[in-house]
Amino acid sequence: TASTPVEQGFVASLRRPGGNVTGIMVHLGIAGKIVEITREALPQAKRLAVLVHEPDPLHKLILATFLPAAQRFKFEAIVVRVTRAEDLERAFKEFADRKADALFLPDFAFGVSNRRQIVERSLKARLPLLSGQPDTAVAGGLLSYGTPREENYKRAAALVDQILRGAKPGDLPVEQPERFQLVVNMKTAK
């Protein structure tokens, strides 16, 4: 499965995208790193669930990283698909029925807009929640590993500034994450 803007055909190269395109690259491979961190943080865990928002086209790319990583780190992968917020009740029932030991929440817009509800449900179910967004750990998830959203906003603003000053988007490199942050919610961990 194509996982970079080059492989997906959006740009000619990350260094010189060409055309009228540039941007900030989302690190889709973060799912594999979160699986690895989960193994370290929860060594007794056997079943690792992932909540997939099926309408989001990125779900296939995230699963293409998550599933092999789950296998490599000896997890039984539990994939639960949702299409709307009303599906969360069913999803959490399925996590319980399938005896999930932890839950990975990919960085979908769905997860961001429903974060509070997902965090509350995971806390109530005593299901450790892991994410690529620090905001999720701050909100009550167990841990997160990823690029802070604010950093991406600043980098995007810098690109917009360059374009407004006359730079051609196709001449500006597609920016990749430079810094990753591990956040552990100690209150949740206890």
Side-chain angles (χ1 to χ4, degrees):
T1 303
S3 62
T4 70
V6 175
E7 293 169 330
Q8 293 170 345
F10 292 120
V11 298
S13 77
L14 296 179
R15 181 182 279 249
R16 294 190 59 82
N20 199 26
V21 178
T22 191
I24 308 295
M25 192 167 121
V26 176
H27 186 62
L28 297 173
I30 204 77
K33 186 65 177 173
I34 290 172
V35 171
E36 179 182 351
I37 291 169
T38 303
R39 176 50 67 215
E40 292 177 34
L42 304 168
Q44 276 70 37
K46 293 182 175 88
R47 291 167 295 280
L48 179 56
V50 59
L51 183 66
V52 173
H53 185 236
E54 207 157 37
D56 192 317
L58 291 178
H59 85 271
K60 292 177 185 174
L61 300 174
I62 289 170
L63 286 177
T65 302
F66 173 82
L67 293 172
Q71 184 176 21
R72 185 172 60 251
F73 288 100
K74 310 277 190 268
F75 284 110
E76 176 188 329
I78 299 171
V79 179
V80 176
R81 300 168 193 276
V82 296
T83 57
R84 53 200 178 101
E86 293 77 16
D87 296 337
L88 287 172
E89 184 174 344
R90 175 196 47 82
F92 274 85
K93 182 178 180 336
E94 189 170 342
F95 297 144
D97 291 348
R98 295 180 69 186
K99 296 181 174 39
D101 296 310
L103 170 61
F104 168 51
L105 177 64
D107 190 23
F108 296 126
F110 177 85
V112 173
S113 61
N114 293 285
R115 177 182 294 126
R116 184 181 54 77
Q117 185 179 1
I118 294 167
V119 167
E120 287 173 2
R121 286 179 181 274
S122 68
L123 288 169
K124 183 178 179 187
R126 301 185 58 80
L127 184 63
L129 180 63
L130 311 117
S131 171
Q133 276 304 311
D135 298 346
T136 302
V138 170
L142 176 62
L143 65 84
S144 66
Y145 180 79
T147 303
R149 197 175 305 279
E150 300 79 24
E151 189 170 308
N152 289 338
Y153 294 157
K154 289 176 187 174
R155 291 172 45 224
L159 284 175
V160 169
D161 181 59
Q162 290 178 49
I163 292 166
L164 291 175
R165 293 176 189 268
K168 294 179 183 167
D171 293 338
L172 299 174
V174 173
E175 301 226 0
Q176 298 182 61
E178 296 174 356
R179 186 173 70 96
F180 296 89
Q181 183 179 54
L182 175 66
V183 176
V184 178
N185 185 315
M186 295 307 290
K187 181 180 176 185
T188 301
K190 289 177 185 172

